[in-house]
Amino acid sequence: MKVRLPLIRGLESFFGTRDENLRLLESGFGVATRLTPDAFEIEGEPDAVSRSESIVRDFISLTESGHKISAGDVNSFLRVLTADDSVTLRSLFESGRARNFGKKSLAPKTPNQRAYLDAIERYDLVFGIGPAGTGKTYLAVAMAVSALLNKQVTRIILTRPAVEAGERLGFLPGTLQEKVDPYLRPLYDALFDMLETERVERYLERNVIEIAPLAFMRGRTLNDSFIILDEAQNSTAEQMKMFLTRQGFNSKTVVTGDLTQIDLPPGKRCGLSEAVDILKGVEGIQVIYFDQRDVVRNALVQRIVRAYEQYNELMGPGRQMSLKLDQPPAELQQDAAVP
């Protein structure tokens, strides 16, 4: 089966940089595409062609209505559309309404991102769990900035466990704040992306925005605050319980983490996984799970995440994913012992 679609101004955004979106459409639905002087052709099995045609026609209709959809947004939408036959491009675009976050206007690009933002609006405590690049931290910071600017809260508290990611950094010079800042840098990056530099610095000076390691939360009660715990997979069970009981009146808490990247020392219980199990079914709490389809960074990141998932499934829970760097594999040790 083959269909021909009209060429319109702006259709190049659908094609993507170096036609990467076309390649995604072709591989996702098993179709072949061709650009002629007066039409865009799609050929393949009837069901696959109909699905592809519907996506392109939705794009054309939205574009002719005055909507601008970037090549990057098309790429994100196509990843969802090729994985979920029940979703249309129009429904994805329209349900992912743009929100204003300081100097940014963002729209969720996947169903899970939409569910995440809706959950943050509706619930007092939200867990966002999934791999790197899915927007867990970035969207949480965006919602915090929006709440602050709309005077829903009076301050933002951003915190992280100060845990080394497999390195041994040793002694860090400087004040206590300078020692922990490297661990908190991703939170600063998100803030500076949402707000003007001068405003961020002014808020930090006045403690309207506070960025601190998790250990600094003990003994506090946080009222009228938007609180984010990032990299929560590196919190211990004791730290997580301490953190979750800091929330005061008119406050909202978001906890983000990736359970595949735990850097806790051996023998330490992961506070994030334990909290999700314990709090299952508790009123006022929502857990949103992200997967590799929600990765909105370079498409290569999505493939990397999926490759690691497949590797972990193959190796099973009893196998270590990596060897100690200072110790060769057992077979090499045996070879070395042979004179």
Side-chain angles (χ1 to χ4, degrees), residues 261-296:
Q261 297 195 46
I262 298 174
D263 300 311
L264 288 170
K268 287 286 187 180
R269 290 178 298 162
C270 172
L272 177 59
S273 59
E274 182 178 272
V276 170
D277 288 339
I278 292 173
L279 300 176
K280 190 178 299 181
V282 174
E283 185 180 355
I285 298 174
Q286 183 76 348
V287 181
I288 303 296
Y289 290 97
F290 297 88
D291 57 36
Q292 49 92 16
R293 292 173 297 177
D294 299 301
V295 174
V296 292

PDB file of all heavy atoms in Angstrom, residues 261-296:
ATOM      1  N   GLN A 261      20.871   3.240  39.595  1.00  0.00           N
ATOM      2  CA  GLN A 261      22.142   3.941  39.807  1.00  0.00           C
ATOM      3  C   GLN A 261      22.345   4.237  41.293  1.00  0.00           C
ATOM      4  O   GLN A 261      22.512   5.380  41.701  1.00  0.00           O
ATOM      5  CB  GLN A 261      22.188   5.244  39.001  1.00  0.00           C
ATOM      6  CG  GLN A 261      22.124   5.017  37.504  1.00  0.00           C
ATOM      7  CD  GLN A 261      22.520   6.251  36.717  1.00  0.00           C
ATOM      8  OE1 GLN A 261      23.517   6.903  37.000  1.00  0.00           O
ATOM      9  NE2 GLN A 261      21.736   6.585  35.715  1.00  0.00           N
ATOM     10  N   ILE A 262      22.322   3.197  42.102  1.00  0.00           N
ATOM     11  CA  ILE A 262      22.502   3.336  43.543  1.00  0.00           C
ATOM     12  C   ILE A 262      23.994   3.305  43.873  1.00  0.00           C
ATOM     13  O   ILE A 262      24.700   2.366  43.495  1.00  0.00           O
ATOM     14  CB  ILE A 262      21.760   2.217  44.297  1.00  0.00           C
ATOM     15  CG1 ILE A 262      20.258   2.308  44.015  1.00  0.00           C
ATOM     16  CG2 ILE A 262      22.030   2.298  45.797  1.00  0.00           C
ATOM     17  CD1 ILE A 262      19.445   1.158  44.594  1.00  0.00           C
ATOM     18  N   ASP A 263      24.469   4.343  44.568  1.00  0.00           N
ATOM     19  CA  ASP A 263      25.890   4.452  44.919  1.00  0.00           C
ATOM     20  C   ASP A 263      26.131   4.299  46.416  1.00  0.00           C
ATOM     21  O   ASP A 263      27.182   4.686  46.918  1.00  0.00           O
ATOM     22  CB  ASP A 263      26.444   5.808  44.450  1.00  0.00           C
ATOM     23  CG  ASP A 263      26.331   5.989  42.945  1.00  0.00           C
ATOM     24  OD1 ASP A 263      26.743   5.068  42.221  1.00  0.00           O
ATOM     25  OD2 ASP A 263      25.814   7.026  42.501  1.00  0.00           O
ATOM     26  N   LEU A 264      25.167   3.736  47.135  1.00  0.00           N
ATOM     27  CA  LEU A 264      25.323   3.552  48.575  1.00  0.00           C
ATOM     28  C   LEU A 264      26.367   2.482  48.867  1.00  0.00           C
ATOM     29  O   LEU A 264      26.554   1.549  48.073  1.00  0.00           O
ATOM     30  CB  LEU A 264      23.989   3.140  49.197  1.00  0.00           C
ATOM     31  CG  LEU A 264      22.898   4.215  49.283  1.00  0.00           C
ATOM     32  CD1 LEU A 264      21.579   3.573  49.693  1.00  0.00           C
ATOM     33  CD2 LEU A 264      23.304   5.302  50.254  1.00  0.00           C
ATOM     34  N   PRO A 265      27.051   2.585  50.005  1.00  0.00           N
ATOM     35  CA  PRO A 265      28.014   1.546  50.381  1.00  0.00           C
ATOM     36  C   PRO A 265      27.304   0.211  50.587  1.00  0.00           C
ATOM     37  O   PRO A 265      26.102   0.174  50.892  1.00  0.00           O
ATOM     38  CB  PRO A 265      28.597   2.061  51.716  1.00  0.00           C
ATOM     39  CG  PRO A 265      28.261   3.514  51.752  1.00  0.00           C
ATOM     40  CD  PRO A 265      27.001   3.696  50.978  1.00  0.00           C
ATOM     41  N   PRO A 266      28.004  -0.909  50.437  1.00  0.00           N
ATOM     42  CA  PRO A 266      27.395  -2.225  50.648  1.00  0.00           C
ATOM     43  C   PRO A 266      26.793  -2.329  52.048  1.00  0.00           C
ATOM     44  O   PRO A 266      27.362  -1.843  53.025  1.00  0.00           O
ATOM     45  CB  PRO A 266      28.573  -3.199  50.480  1.00  0.00           C
ATOM     46  CG  PRO A 266      29.554  -2.451  49.638  1.00  0.00           C
ATOM     47  CD  PRO A 266      29.419  -1.013  50.003  1.00  0.00           C
ATOM     48  N   GLY A 267      25.621  -2.936  52.126  1.00  0.00           N
ATOM     49  CA  GLY A 267      24.978  -3.121  53.426  1.00  0.00           C
ATOM     50  C   GLY A 267      23.994  -2.035  53.803  1.00  0.00           C
ATOM     51  O   GLY A 267      23.237  -2.194  54.770  1.00  0.00           O
ATOM     52  N   LYS A 268      23.990  -0.921  53.073  1.00  0.00           N
ATOM     53  CA  LYS A 268      23.068   0.172  53.355  1.00  0.00           C
ATOM     54  C   LYS A 268      21.769  -0.019  52.563  1.00  0.00           C
ATOM     55  O   LYS A 268      21.794  -0.274  51.360  1.00  0.00           O
ATOM     56  CB  LYS A 268      23.692   1.518  52.974  1.00  0.00           C
ATOM     57  CG  LYS A 268      24.787   1.989  53.924  1.00  0.00           C
ATOM     58  CD  LYS A 268      24.197   2.485  55.231  1.00  0.00           C
ATOM     59  CE  LYS A 268      25.272   3.124  56.110  1.00  0.00           C
ATOM     60  NZ  LYS A 268      24.689   3.602  57.388  1.00  0.00           N
ATOM     61  N   ARG A 269      20.638   0.094  53.247  1.00  0.00           N
ATOM     62  CA  ARG A 269      19.346  -0.042  52.576  1.00  0.00           C
ATOM     63  C   ARG A 269      19.017   1.219  51.781  1.00  0.00           C
ATOM     64  O   ARG A 269      19.262   2.329  52.249  1.00  0.00           O
ATOM     65  CB  ARG A 269      18.243  -0.287  53.607  1.00  0.00           C
ATOM     66  CG  ARG A 269      18.292  -1.661  54.273  1.00  0.00           C
ATOM     67  CD  ARG A 269      17.183  -1.762  55.317  1.00  0.00           C
ATOM     68  NE  ARG A 269      17.371  -0.759  56.371  1.00  0.00           N
ATOM     69  CZ  ARG A 269      16.420  -0.363  57.205  1.00  0.00           C
ATOM     70  NH1 ARG A 269      15.198  -0.856  57.084  1.00  0.00           N
ATOM     71  NH2 ARG A 269      16.655   0.528  58.139  1.00  0.00           N
ATOM     72  N   CYS A 270      18.474   1.049  50.608  1.00  0.00           N
ATOM     73  CA  CYS A 270      18.085   2.186  49.769  1.00  0.00           C
ATOM     74  C   CYS A 270      16.784   2.777  50.300  1.00  0.00           C
ATOM     75  O   CYS A 270      15.751   2.108  50.332  1.00  0.00           O
ATOM     76  CB  CYS A 270      17.930   1.744  48.317  1.00  0.00           C
ATOM     77  SG  CYS A 270      17.240   3.025  47.246  1.00  0.00           S
ATOM     78  N   GLY A 271      16.840   4.035  50.708  1.00  0.00           N
ATOM     79  CA  GLY A 271      15.667   4.676  51.276  1.00  0.00           C
ATOM     80  C   GLY A 271      14.535   4.854  50.286  1.00  0.00           C
ATOM     81  O   GLY A 271      13.359   4.816  50.665  1.00  0.00           O
ATOM     82  N   LEU A 272      14.873   5.063  49.009  1.00  0.00           N
ATOM     83  CA  LEU A 272      13.839   5.290  47.999  1.00  0.00           C
ATOM     84  C   LEU A 272      12.996   4.050  47.774  1.00  0.00           C
ATOM     85  O   LEU A 272      11.761   4.108  47.812  1.00  0.00           O
ATOM     86  CB  LEU A 272      14.478   5.753  46.695  1.00  0.00           C
ATOM     87  CG  LEU A 272      13.537   5.980  45.512  1.00  0.00           C
ATOM     88  CD1 LEU A 272      12.476   7.025  45.848  1.00  0.00           C
ATOM     89  CD2 LEU A 272      14.309   6.387  44.268  1.00  0.00           C
ATOM     90  N   SER A 273      13.633   2.920  47.520  1.00  0.00           N
ATOM     91  CA  SER A 273      12.873   1.699  47.246  1.00  0.00           C
ATOM     92  C   SER A 273      12.062   1.275  48.468  1.00  0.00           C
ATOM     93  O   SER A 273      10.917   0.813  48.335  1.00  0.00           O
ATOM     94  CB  SER A 273      13.815   0.570  46.814  1.00  0.00           C
ATOM     95  OG  SER A 273      14.775   0.295  47.824  1.00  0.00           O
ATOM     96  N   GLU A 274      12.635   1.447  49.658  1.00  0.00           N
ATOM     97  CA  GLU A 274      11.907   1.074  50.877  1.00  0.00           C
ATOM     98  C   GLU A 274      10.690   1.971  51.080  1.00  0.00           C
ATOM     99  O   GLU A 274       9.601   1.502  51.429  1.00  0.00           O
ATOM    100  CB  GLU A 274      12.829   1.156  52.083  1.00  0.00           C
ATOM    101  CG  GLU A 274      12.148   0.736  53.383  1.00  0.00           C
ATOM    102  CD  GLU A 274      13.076   0.783  54.579  1.00  0.00           C
ATOM    103  OE1 GLU A 274      13.754  -0.233  54.834  1.00  0.00           O
ATOM    104  OE2 GLU A 274      13.129   1.831  55.253  1.00  0.00           O
ATOM    105  N   ALA A 275      10.866   3.295  50.835  1.00  0.00           N
ATOM    106  CA  ALA A 275       9.764   4.234  51.043  1.00  0.00           C
ATOM    107  C   ALA A 275       8.601   3.933  50.107  1.00  0.00           C
ATOM    108  O   ALA A 275       7.428   3.984  50.509  1.00  0.00           O
ATOM    109  CB  ALA A 275      10.256   5.661  50.833  1.00  0.00           C
ATOM    110  N   VAL A 276       8.906   3.618  48.847  1.00  0.00           N
ATOM    111  CA  VAL A 276       7.841   3.320  47.881  1.00  0.00           C
ATOM    112  C   VAL A 276       7.052   2.088  48.313  1.00  0.00           C
ATOM    113  O   VAL A 276       5.822   2.046  48.203  1.00  0.00           O
ATOM    114  CB  VAL A 276       8.442   3.128  46.475  1.00  0.00           C
ATOM    115  CG1 VAL A 276       7.391   2.588  45.509  1.00  0.00           C
ATOM    116  CG2 VAL A 276       8.995   4.445  45.949  1.00  0.00           C
ATOM    117  N   ASP A 277       7.751   1.089  48.860  1.00  0.00           N
ATOM    118  CA  ASP A 277       7.065  -0.117  49.336  1.00  0.00           C
ATOM    119  C   ASP A 277       6.205   0.178  50.559  1.00  0.00           C
ATOM    120  O   ASP A 277       5.056  -0.256  50.656  1.00  0.00           O
ATOM    121  CB  ASP A 277       8.092  -1.203  49.683  1.00  0.00           C
ATOM    122  CG  ASP A 277       8.746  -1.796  48.446  1.00  0.00           C
ATOM    123  OD1 ASP A 277       8.160  -1.681  47.351  1.00  0.00           O
ATOM    124  OD2 ASP A 277       9.852  -2.360  48.565  1.00  0.00           O
ATOM    125  N   ILE A 278       6.751   0.933  51.505  1.00  0.00           N
ATOM    126  CA  ILE A 278       6.049   1.205  52.753  1.00  0.00           C
ATOM    127  C   ILE A 278       4.832   2.098  52.533  1.00  0.00           C
ATOM    128  O   ILE A 278       3.767   1.897  53.129  1.00  0.00           O
ATOM    129  CB  ILE A 278       7.007   1.865  53.774  1.00  0.00           C
ATOM    130  CG1 ILE A 278       8.080   0.857  54.223  1.00  0.00           C
ATOM    131  CG2 ILE A 278       6.248   2.402  54.987  1.00  0.00           C
ATOM    132  CD1 ILE A 278       9.155   1.461  55.100  1.00  0.00           C
ATOM    133  N   LEU A 279       4.959   3.095  51.655  1.00  0.00           N
ATOM    134  CA  LEU A 279       3.920   4.111  51.483  1.00  0.00           C
ATOM    135  C   LEU A 279       2.900   3.765  50.407  1.00  0.00           C
ATOM    136  O   LEU A 279       2.035   4.576  50.085  1.00  0.00           O
ATOM    137  CB  LEU A 279       4.568   5.459  51.157  1.00  0.00           C
ATOM    138  CG  LEU A 279       5.536   5.998  52.218  1.00  0.00           C
ATOM    139  CD1 LEU A 279       6.190   7.284  51.747  1.00  0.00           C
ATOM    140  CD2 LEU A 279       4.824   6.215  53.550  1.00  0.00           C
ATOM    141  N   LYS A 280       3.014   2.575  49.849  1.00  0.00           N
ATOM    142  CA  LYS A 280       2.081   2.158  48.796  1.00  0.00           C
ATOM    143  C   LYS A 280       0.647   2.221  49.316  1.00  0.00           C
ATOM    144  O   LYS A 280       0.312   1.646  50.355  1.00  0.00           O
ATOM    145  CB  LYS A 280       2.410   0.734  48.355  1.00  0.00           C
ATOM    146  CG  LYS A 280       1.674   0.264  47.112  1.00  0.00           C
ATOM    147  CD  LYS A 280       2.123  -1.136  46.737  1.00  0.00           C
ATOM    148  CE  LYS A 280       3.606  -1.189  46.426  1.00  0.00           C
ATOM    149  NZ  LYS A 280       4.059  -2.553  46.043  1.00  0.00           N
ATOM    150  N   GLY A 281      -0.206   2.957  48.621  1.00  0.00           N
ATOM    151  CA  GLY A 281      -1.608   3.041  49.000  1.00  0.00           C
ATOM    152  C   GLY A 281      -1.938   4.128  50.005  1.00  0.00           C
ATOM    153  O   GLY A 281      -3.110   4.328  50.337  1.00  0.00           O
ATOM    154  N   VAL A 282      -0.929   4.857  50.494  1.00  0.00           N
ATOM    155  CA  VAL A 282      -1.190   5.932  51.453  1.00  0.00           C
ATOM    156  C   VAL A 282      -1.820   7.120  50.727  1.00  0.00           C
ATOM    157  O   VAL A 282      -1.337   7.550  49.676  1.00  0.00           O
ATOM    158  CB  VAL A 282       0.114   6.372  52.162  1.00  0.00           C
ATOM    159  CG1 VAL A 282      -0.143   7.585  53.057  1.00  0.00           C
ATOM    160  CG2 VAL A 282       0.686   5.221  52.987  1.00  0.00           C
ATOM    161  N   GLU A 283      -2.891   7.656  51.285  1.00  0.00           N
ATOM    162  CA  GLU A 283      -3.606   8.770  50.657  1.00  0.00           C
ATOM    163  C   GLU A 283      -2.729  10.016  50.587  1.00  0.00           C
ATOM    164  O   GLU A 283      -1.980  10.329  51.514  1.00  0.00           O
ATOM    165  CB  GLU A 283      -4.872   9.094  51.457  1.00  0.00           C
ATOM    166  CG  GLU A 283      -5.748  10.153  50.828  1.00  0.00           C
ATOM    167  CD  GLU A 283      -6.987  10.432  51.650  1.00  0.00           C
ATOM    168  OE1 GLU A 283      -7.204   9.726  52.659  1.00  0.00           O
ATOM    169  OE2 GLU A 283      -7.743  11.359  51.282  1.00  0.00           O
ATOM    170  N   GLY A 284      -2.796  10.720  49.438  1.00  0.00           N
ATOM    171  CA  GLY A 284      -2.032  11.950  49.265  1.00  0.00           C
ATOM    172  C   GLY A 284      -0.662  11.744  48.657  1.00  0.00           C
ATOM    173  O   GLY A 284       0.097  12.703  48.501  1.00  0.00           O
ATOM    174  N   ILE A 285      -0.349  10.491  48.296  1.00  0.00           N
ATOM    175  CA  ILE A 285       0.971  10.170  47.726  1.00  0.00           C
ATOM    176  C   ILE A 285       0.772   9.538  46.359  1.00  0.00           C
ATOM    177  O   ILE A 285      -0.108   8.698  46.172  1.00  0.00           O
ATOM    178  CB  ILE A 285       1.759   9.219  48.642  1.00  0.00           C
ATOM    179  CG1 ILE A 285       2.010   9.884  50.002  1.00  0.00           C
ATOM    180  CG2 ILE A 285       3.080   8.807  48.003  1.00  0.00           C
ATOM    181  CD1 ILE A 285       2.657   8.967  51.020  1.00  0.00           C
ATOM    182  N   GLN A 286       1.606   9.930  45.401  1.00  0.00           N
ATOM    183  CA  GLN A 286       1.538   9.363  44.057  1.00  0.00           C
ATOM    184  C   GLN A 286       2.940   8.994  43.596  1.00  0.00           C
ATOM    185  O   GLN A 286       3.903   9.730  43.847  1.00  0.00           O
ATOM    186  CB  GLN A 286       0.923  10.369  43.082  1.00  0.00           C
ATOM    187  CG  GLN A 286       0.735   9.854  41.671  1.00  0.00           C
ATOM    188  CD  GLN A 286      -0.459   8.910  41.539  1.00  0.00           C
ATOM    189  OE1 GLN A 286      -1.022   8.467  42.531  1.00  0.00           O
ATOM    190  NE2 GLN A 286      -0.856   8.597  40.327  1.00  0.00           N
ATOM    191  N   VAL A 287       3.067   7.841  42.945  1.00  0.00           N
ATOM    192  CA  VAL A 287       4.346   7.392  42.396  1.00  0.00           C
ATOM    193  C   VAL A 287       4.224   7.332  40.872  1.00  0.00           C
ATOM    194  O   VAL A 287       3.314   6.682  40.346  1.00  0.00           O
ATOM    195  CB  VAL A 287       4.750   6.004  42.950  1.00  0.00           C
ATOM    196  CG1 VAL A 287       6.099   5.584  42.378  1.00  0.00           C
ATOM    197  CG2 VAL A 287       4.794   6.025  44.470  1.00  0.00           C
ATOM    198  N   ILE A 288       5.123   8.012  40.173  1.00  0.00           N
ATOM    199  CA  ILE A 288       5.158   7.997  38.710  1.00  0.00           C
ATOM    200  C   ILE A 288       6.441   7.303  38.271  1.00  0.00           C
ATOM    201  O   ILE A 288       7.537   7.690  38.689  1.00  0.00           O
ATOM    202  CB  ILE A 288       5.121   9.420  38.122  1.00  0.00           C
ATOM    203  CG1 ILE A 288       3.875  10.179  38.601  1.00  0.00           C
ATOM    204  CG2 ILE A 288       5.181   9.373  36.596  1.00  0.00           C
ATOM    205  CD1 ILE A 288       2.563   9.597  38.135  1.00  0.00           C
ATOM    206  N   TYR A 289       6.301   6.272  37.448  1.00  0.00           N
ATOM    207  CA  TYR A 289       7.460   5.538  36.947  1.00  0.00           C
ATOM    208  C   TYR A 289       7.742   5.950  35.497  1.00  0.00           C
ATOM    209  O   TYR A 289       6.841   5.967  34.659  1.00  0.00           O
ATOM    210  CB  TYR A 289       7.216   4.031  37.014  1.00  0.00           C
ATOM    211  CG  TYR A 289       7.192   3.477  38.415  1.00  0.00           C
ATOM    212  CD1 TYR A 289       5.988   3.279  39.084  1.00  0.00           C
ATOM    213  CD2 TYR A 289       8.375   3.158  39.081  1.00  0.00           C
ATOM    214  CE1 TYR A 289       5.956   2.772  40.373  1.00  0.00           C
ATOM    215  CE2 TYR A 289       8.356   2.650  40.374  1.00  0.00           C
ATOM    216  CZ  TYR A 289       7.140   2.462  41.011  1.00  0.00           C
ATOM    217  OH  TYR A 289       7.117   1.961  42.295  1.00  0.00           O
ATOM    218  N   PHE A 290       8.992   6.268  35.229  1.00  0.00           N
ATOM    219  CA  PHE A 290       9.446   6.586  33.884  1.00  0.00           C
ATOM    220  C   PHE A 290      10.216   5.388  33.329  1.00  0.00           C
ATOM    221  O   PHE A 290      10.754   4.566  34.086  1.00  0.00           O
ATOM    222  CB  PHE A 290      10.365   7.808  33.888  1.00  0.00           C
ATOM    223  CG  PHE A 290       9.710   9.075  34.351  1.00  0.00           C
ATOM    224  CD1 PHE A 290       9.675   9.425  35.693  1.00  0.00           C
ATOM    225  CD2 PHE A 290       9.121   9.949  33.445  1.00  0.00           C
ATOM    226  CE1 PHE A 290       9.075  10.590  36.135  1.00  0.00           C
ATOM    227  CE2 PHE A 290       8.517  11.122  33.860  1.00  0.00           C
ATOM    228  CZ  PHE A 290       8.489  11.444  35.210  1.00  0.00           C
ATOM    229  N   ASP A 291      10.298   5.296  32.000  1.00  0.00           N
ATOM    230  CA  ASP A 291      11.115   4.258  31.385  1.00  0.00           C
ATOM    231  C   ASP A 291      11.879   4.854  30.207  1.00  0.00           C
ATOM    232  O   ASP A 291      11.861   6.065  29.990  1.00  0.00           O
ATOM    233  CB  ASP A 291      10.263   3.054  30.951  1.00  0.00           C
ATOM    234  CG  ASP A 291       9.134   3.430  29.992  1.00  0.00           C
ATOM    235  OD1 ASP A 291       9.350   4.339  29.144  1.00  0.00           O
ATOM    236  OD2 ASP A 291       8.052   2.838  30.081  1.00  0.00           O
ATOM    237  N   GLN A 292      12.545   3.997  29.441  1.00  0.00           N
ATOM    238  CA  GLN A 292      13.418   4.486  28.370  1.00  0.00           C
ATOM    239  C   GLN A 292      12.660   5.244  27.290  1.00  0.00           C
ATOM    240  O   GLN A 292      13.224   6.067  26.580  1.00  0.00           O
ATOM    241  CB  GLN A 292      14.217   3.322  27.762  1.00  0.00           C
ATOM    242  CG  GLN A 292      13.401   2.092  27.394  1.00  0.00           C
ATOM    243  CD  GLN A 292      12.906   2.084  25.976  1.00  0.00           C
ATOM    244  OE1 GLN A 292      13.401   2.838  25.157  1.00  0.00           O
ATOM    245  NE2 GLN A 292      11.952   1.229  25.666  1.00  0.00           N
ATOM    246  N   ARG A 293      11.335   5.050  27.173  1.00  0.00           N
ATOM    247  CA  ARG A 293      10.555   5.795  26.187  1.00  0.00           C
ATOM    248  C   ARG A 293      10.406   7.263  26.566  1.00  0.00           C
ATOM    249  O   ARG A 293      10.049   8.089  25.726  1.00  0.00           O
ATOM    250  CB  ARG A 293       9.170   5.164  26.024  1.00  0.00           C
ATOM    251  CG  ARG A 293       9.167   3.791  25.369  1.00  0.00           C
ATOM    252  CD  ARG A 293       7.797   3.175  25.414  1.00  0.00           C
ATOM    253  NE  ARG A 293       7.356   2.945  26.789  1.00  0.00           N
ATOM    254  CZ  ARG A 293       6.163   2.456  27.111  1.00  0.00           C
ATOM    255  NH1 ARG A 293       5.294   2.149  26.172  1.00  0.00           N
ATOM    256  NH2 ARG A 293       5.834   2.264  28.383  1.00  0.00           N
ATOM    257  N   ASP A 294      10.659   7.592  27.833  1.00  0.00           N
ATOM    258  CA  ASP A 294      10.511   8.970  28.311  1.00  0.00           C
ATOM    259  C   ASP A 294      11.797   9.771  28.218  1.00  0.00           C
ATOM    260  O   ASP A 294      11.807  10.953  28.566  1.00  0.00           O
ATOM    261  CB  ASP A 294      10.034   8.969  29.767  1.00  0.00           C
ATOM    262  CG  ASP A 294       8.685   8.291  29.937  1.00  0.00           C
ATOM    263  OD1 ASP A 294       7.727   8.751  29.309  1.00  0.00           O
ATOM    264  OD2 ASP A 294       8.610   7.290  30.669  1.00  0.00           O
ATOM    265  N   VAL A 295      12.890   9.140  27.794  1.00  0.00           N
ATOM    266  CA  VAL A 295      14.169   9.849  27.703  1.00  0.00           C
ATOM    267  C   VAL A 295      14.058  10.941  26.641  1.00  0.00           C
ATOM    268  O   VAL A 295      13.730  10.661  25.481  1.00  0.00           O
ATOM    269  CB  VAL A 295      15.320   8.887  27.359  1.00  0.00           C
ATOM    270  CG1 VAL A 295      16.619   9.656  27.134  1.00  0.00           C
ATOM    271  CG2 VAL A 295      15.514   7.875  28.485  1.00  0.00           C
ATOM    272  N   VAL A 296      14.318  12.186  27.040  1.00  0.00           N
ATOM    273  CA  VAL A 296      14.177  13.308  26.119  1.00  0.00           C
ATOM    274  C   VAL A 296      15.525  13.956  25.809  1.00  0.00           C
ATOM    275  O   VAL A 296      15.582  15.061  25.296  1.00  0.00           O
ATOM    276  CB  VAL A 296      13.197  14.371  26.679  1.00  0.00           C
ATOM    277  CG1 VAL A 296      11.798  13.814  26.706  1.00  0.00           C
ATOM    278  CG2 VAL A 296      13.611  14.821  28.075  1.00  0.00           C
TER     279      VAL A 296
END
